[in-house]
Amino acid sequence: MAAPIWIGIAGTVLALAFIGNGVRNVMGPEGHAANAGRLHIFMAVIFLPILWLVVLRSVL
């Protein structure tokens, strides 16, 4: 397989890890960690579609 596909898979795993960490931080007490968790979730959710658009563009 081409490198962009592996980069897409690795990026997806990394983004899912960021989402999981963000959810873990949001479930804790309010404060800086909860706000950082919300930001992690937002950024990873924005990153995933852009990542796969680039992967699809390189494959097609």
Side-chain angles (χ1 to χ4, degrees), residues 9-25:
I9 293 169
T12 300
V13 169
L14 183 67
L16 291 175
F18 268 81
I19 290 172
N21 190 35
V23 169
R24 185 179 60 85
N25 284 333

Side-chain angles (χ1 to χ4, degrees), residues 4-60:
I5 295 172
W6 290 110
I7 294 168
I9 293 169
T12 300
V13 169
L14 183 67
L16 291 175
F18 268 81
I19 290 172
N21 190 35
V23 169
R24 185 179 60 85
N25 284 333
V26 168
M27 295 299 172
E30 282 297 315
H32 175 75
N35 291 334
R38 288 184 197 97
L39 186 61
H40 276 89
I41 293 168
F42 174 75
M43 293 304 293
V45 167
I46 295 298
F47 175 67
L48 280 172
I50 295 169
L51 173 73
W52 282 100
L53 282 175
V54 171
V55 169
L56 288 175
R57 175 73 175 149
S58 67
V59 171
L60 298 177

